[in-house]
């Protein structure tokens, strides 16, 4: 094994532990430069206490020692490693090119100054100092960029660099401005959709299109008169200039049409006016009628209120002839026939003050054995001419007096009519419901139901019968309306 070949044919390129190639400006002759273990340029050269005196990188030979191997060259066991400081100094003093010479770095200096020149692990203050071809971390996007490119990258192209929108001044980072903000920035220039070549601000695009754009199609100003031309705003000026006569003709036709249409409208409006006047008159006369009716109603109400207040005789819907109003005298003239079984007497119908029509019936009655023991005095409602105006069922009372024709010691009693009775309940032979049932009366004057009083004959004073006559008086009739 020999290292003489490297000494005999000196080369000027050596691999460095740190991963780049070192080339010497003047390749040194007869100087051990290579480590026999790693075959790279000696880094921190050391010799051993063996006989061959070879140089190895400190790192390389320490690995060998740890494994207790002998010297890789002379195979002699060694115990100590000595730093070859003299060789180190010599090596550090050799002039080399920058490993990035091929990339364009012209740096040339002693090997010992290479680390500082490359400045691969810079502090924040010195990050821009040293070889421009060393990769340095960008402070914004955290990727490695050649040191020489860092200033441009960090101020212009880094996607994460702080950036202010040049149109509106909004601040963010470059890629956000480009990818998001510019899609909505109100002052970002956008191309006109009508391809007129203008790039108005986004917020001004509508106004541009509406008022300024020369290529937007517009309708002729005389469209309302019938010109159907629709061309770009730029060409419209010429259209207007070239078609003055045509436009004036269209205008005059349109004008004539409008005048006649206005005349029509005017006619219609006048007719509607007349109709409305008529309607107004009609409504006014109706109003007068209503006012009159209201006045009448008011006066009626005042009257009714007064009547109620003073509890005046009654609110009388109908005033029957006074001759028919009680007190009514009813004389049974041939009373000697009283004991004949079939004989009975009916008064003429008479009215209450409000018009209920009734009849007084007198006949003899009693049980089978004692027939003729009682005098039945019986009142009942008959059909009257005011029935449709009256309250049904009604309530009230009537007073009947059998006169003592000698001493004035009269026999007087009252019959009370309740709703139940006048509704046809109690005493009615047949039952019906509602209004019809309520208006129960008799069509004939000779039979029917009503309200009776039975007077025992033995209680009757002989004075009640005089000249074969019984005299009844009916009064104090007070029914619903009469109260
Ligand atoms: Zn050795
Ligand atoms: Zn080595
Ligand atoms: Zn360099
Ligand atoms: Zn960056
Ligand atoms: Zn903006
Ligand atoms: Zn435009
Ligand atoms: Zn036109």
């Amino acid at each position: 094994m020999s290292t003489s070949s490297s000494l005999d044919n000196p080369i000027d390129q050596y691999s460095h532990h740190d991963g780049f190639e070192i080339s010497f400006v003047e390749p040194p002759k007869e100087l051990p430069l290579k480590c026999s273990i790693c075959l790279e340029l000696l880094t921190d050269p050391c010799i051993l206490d063996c006989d061959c005196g070879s140089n190895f990188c400190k790192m390389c030979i320490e690995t060998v020692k740890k494994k207790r191997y002998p010297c890789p060259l002379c195979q002699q066991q060694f115990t100590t490693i000595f730093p070859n400081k003299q060789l180190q100094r010599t090596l550090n003093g050799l002039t080399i090119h920058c490993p990035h010479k091929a990339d364009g770095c012209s740096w040339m200096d002693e090997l010992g100054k290479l680390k500082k020149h490359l400045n691969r692990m810079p502090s924040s203050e010195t990050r821009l100092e040293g070889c421009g071809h060393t990769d340095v971390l960008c402070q914004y996007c955290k990727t490695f960029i050649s040191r020489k490119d860092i200033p441009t990258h960090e101020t212009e192209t880094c996607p994460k660099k702080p950036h202010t929108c040049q149109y509106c001044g909004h601040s963010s980072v470059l890629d956000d401005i480009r990818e998001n903000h510019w899609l909505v920035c109100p002052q970002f220039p956008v191309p006109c959709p009508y391809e007129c070549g203008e790039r108005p601000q986004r917020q001004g695009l509508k106004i541009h299109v509406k008022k300024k754009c020369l290529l937007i199609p517009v309708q002729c100003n005389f469209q309302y008169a019938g010109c159907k031309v629709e061309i770009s705003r730029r060409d419209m000026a010429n259209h207007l200039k070239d078609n003055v006569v045509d436009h004036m003709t269209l205008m005059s036709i349109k004008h004539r049409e409008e005048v006649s249409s206005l005349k029509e409208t005017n006619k219609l409006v006048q007719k509607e006016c007349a109709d409305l006047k008529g309607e107004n008159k009609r409504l006014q006369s109706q109003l007068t009628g209503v006012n009159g009716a209201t006045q009448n109603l008011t006066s009626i109400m005042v009257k009714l209120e007064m009547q109620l207040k003073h509890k005046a005789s009654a609110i009388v819907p109908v005033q029957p002839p006074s001759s028919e109003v009680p007190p009514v005298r009813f004389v049974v003239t041939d009373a000697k026939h009283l004991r004949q079984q079939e004989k009975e007497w009916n008064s003429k119908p008479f009215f209450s003050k409000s018009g209920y029509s009734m009849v007084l019936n007198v006949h003899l009655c009693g049980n089978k054995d004692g027939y003729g023991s009682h005098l039945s005095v019986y009142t009942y409602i008959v059909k009257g001419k005011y029935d449709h105006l009256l309250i049904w069922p009604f309530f009230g009372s009537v007073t009947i007096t059998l006169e003592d024709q000698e001493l004035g010691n009269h026999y007087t009693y009252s019959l009370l009519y309740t709703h139940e009775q006048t509704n046809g309940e109690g005493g009615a032979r047949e039952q019906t419901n509602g209004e019809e049932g309520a208006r129960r009366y008799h069509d004939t004057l000779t039979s029917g139901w009503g309200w009776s009083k039975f007077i025992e004959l033995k209680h009757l004073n002989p004075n009640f019968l005089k000249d074969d006559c019984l005299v009844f008086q009916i009064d104090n009739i007070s029914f619903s309306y009469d109260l």
Side-chain angles (χ1 to χ4, degrees):
M1 182 179 280
S2 166
T3 60
S4 61
S5 62
S6 67
L7 295 175
D8 297 343
N9 306 298
I11 50 168
D12 60 354
Q13 283 243 324
Y14 298 86
S15 292
H16 191 277
H17 264 203
D18 286 347
F20 43 77
E21 299 290 315
I22 296 291
S23 61
F24 293 90
V25 175
E26 288 176 43
K29 289 189 174 124
E30 296 173 14
L31 198 67
L33 294 175
K34 259 187 176 177
C35 165
S36 300
I37 300 173
C38 67
L39 303 179
E40 291 180 345
L41 186 68
L42 282 163
T43 304
D44 302 325
C46 294
I47 50 172
L48 312 175
D49 55 349
C50 63
D51 289 340
C52 74
S54 296
N55 284 279
F56 305 98
C57 303
K58 189 182 176 198
M59 228 163 72
C60 295
I61 197 60
E62 275 179 348
T63 310
V64 171
K65 191 186 177 211
K66 227 178 252 173
K67 294 180 177 171
R68 297 177 184 276
Y69 289 163
C71 168
L73 284 186
C74 69
Q75 300 301 318
Q76 213 174 355
Q77 205 62 42
F78 66 93
T79 53
T80 314
I81 299 171
F82 304 100
N84 190 344
K85 291 190 175 169
Q86 195 189 351
L87 179 57
Q88 177 77 63
R89 271 197 299 276
T90 307
L91 286 177
N92 280 347
L94 293 173
T95 303
I96 58 161
H97 294 287
C98 173
H100 297 294
K101 186 189 175 197
D103 299 324
C105 182
S106 56
W107 181 86
M108 214 173 18
D109 209 333
E110 292 173 356
L111 174 61
K113 295 178 181 172
L114 177 62
K115 199 173 174 189
K116 193 183 174 199
H117 168 68
L118 288 180
N119 194 14
R120 297 176 100 190
M121 308 278 278
S123 67
S124 56
E125 288 82 28
T126 63
R127 56 196 290 274
L128 294 183
E129 291 169 13
C131 181
H133 299 274
T134 302
D135 286 340
V136 180
L137 208 57
C138 165
Q139 59 179 320
Y140 303 121
C141 67
K142 310 296 179 198
T143 56
F144 283 98
I145 311 280
S146 286
R147 178 174 283 127
K148 64 175 168 42
D149 297 330
I150 278 284
T152 311
H153 172 81
E154 288 188 345
T155 55
E156 291 174 24
T157 56
C158 175
K160 298 295 174 199
K161 81 171 185 87
H163 192 76
T164 301
C165 170
Q166 61 262 53
Y167 305 113
C168 74
H170 171 75
S171 289
S172 182
V173 297
L174 184 59
D175 61 353
D176 177 52
I177 293 278
R178 284 181 175 164
E179 288 162 25
N180 303 314
H181 173 70
W182 281 350
L183 296 179
V184 295
C185 174
Q187 291 172 32
F188 188 84
V190 289
C192 168
Y194 295 99
E195 296 174 342
C196 70
E198 295 280 314
R199 291 178 68 87
Q201 288 186 350
R202 179 173 281 121
Q203 63 190 359
L205 182 61
K206 268 188 191 163
I207 291 173
H208 165 79
V209 165
K210 206 170 168 189
K211 302 204 166 160
K212 293 182 188 159
C213 180
L214 291 177
L215 290 195
I216 185 176
V218 292
Q219 272 170 338
C220 175
N221 286 347
F222 294 94
Q223 187 205 20
Y224 80 97
C227 179
K228 301 224 167 17
V229 169
E230 189 176 333
I231 46 175
S232 73
R233 181 177 276 135
R234 189 181 54 200
D235 296 339
M236 184 51 77
N238 285 335
H239 167 73
L240 291 176
K241 210 161 75 188
D242 297 344
N243 292 279
V244 172
V245 175
D246 286 352
H247 284 152
M248 288 305 118
T249 309
L250 284 172
M251 282 270 283
S252 80
I253 293 168
K254 180 77 182 169
H255 181 68
R256 244 177 284 147
E257 282 171 5
E258 276 177 357
V259 166
S260 83
S261 149
L262 275 175
K263 275 184 189 160
E264 259 331 284
T265 310
N266 191 26
K267 243 186 233 168
L268 281 177
V269 166
Q270 280 187 344
K271 187 181 171 300
E272 272 177 31
C273 238
D275 288 352
L276 282 175
K277 271 184 194 161
E279 177 73 358
N280 190 26
K281 225 183 235 172
R282 200 175 62 74
L283 286 174
Q284 275 189 345
S285 85
Q286 274 186 1
L287 190 62
T288 311
V290 168
N291 280 342
T294 307
Q295 248 169 22
N296 283 344
L297 284 174
T298 309
S299 76
I300 287 172
M301 273 177 64
V302 168
K303 215 160 129 194
L304 287 174
E305 272 171 20
M306 270 173 59
Q307 283 178 353
L308 273 175
K309 213 177 202 171
H310 297 110
K311 297 216 168 174
S313 48
I315 300 168
V316 184
V318 179
Q319 198 63 52
S322 58
S323 62
E324 295 173 318
V325 174
V328 174
R329 282 174 73 80
F330 171 44
V331 181
V332 175
T333 50
D334 46 353
K336 65 183 179 213
H337 297 299
L338 212 56
R339 286 186 179 278
Q340 293 174 11
Q341 195 170 347
E342 301 299 323
K343 192 69 180 173
E344 60 180 315
W345 292 264
N346 282 299
S347 73
K348 278 183 190 164
F350 52 88
F351 293 95
S352 81
K353 263 191 278 182
S354 50
Y356 293 96
S357 179
M358 55 200 310
V359 164
L360 180 70
N361 171 282
V362 177
H363 66 274
L364 207 61
C365 65
N367 57 32
K368 209 173 176 184
D369 298 331
Y371 178 78
S373 60
H374 288 77
L375 185 64
S376 161
V377 183
Y378 176 57
T379 55
Y380 58 90
I381 300 297
V382 295
K383 195 179 226 170
K385 50 185 168 183
Y386 309 116
D387 289 347
H388 62 288
L389 299 167
L390 299 173
I391 295 173
W392 299 93
F394 64 91
F395 60 90
S397 66
V398 59
T399 304
I400 295 167
T401 303
L402 177 57
E403 289 184 2
D404 176 341
Q405 298 180 61
E406 286 290 322
L407 305 171
N409 197 9
H410 306 318
Y411 184 89
T412 299
Y413 65 94
S414 289
L415 291 175
L416 188 69
Y417 307 132
T418 66
H419 277 288
E420 285 70 34
Q421 287 168 318
T422 60
N423 200 25
E425 309 276 340
R429 289 204 184 108
E430 51 188 282
Q431 300 217 344
T432 50
N433 297 320
E435 175 82 351
E436 282 309 308
R439 299 177 64 163
R440 184 178 296 276
Y441 40 64
H442 297 278
D443 288 337
T444 68
L445 301 183
T446 54
S447 67
W449 58 270
W451 302 271
S452 344
K453 175 74 182 174
F454 300 101
I455 305 166
E456 267 193 279
L457 285 182
K458 61 182 177 188
H459 289 149
L460 270 186
N461 187 315
N463 294 336
F464 287 99
L465 187 67
K466 188 179 182 187
D467 299 335
D468 213 13
C469 288
L470 285 172
V471 179
F472 291 90
Q473 180 164 312
I474 304 110
D475 56 5
N476 288 334
I477 301 175
S478 37
F479 289 163
S480 301
Y481 270 130
D482 302 324
L483 293 174

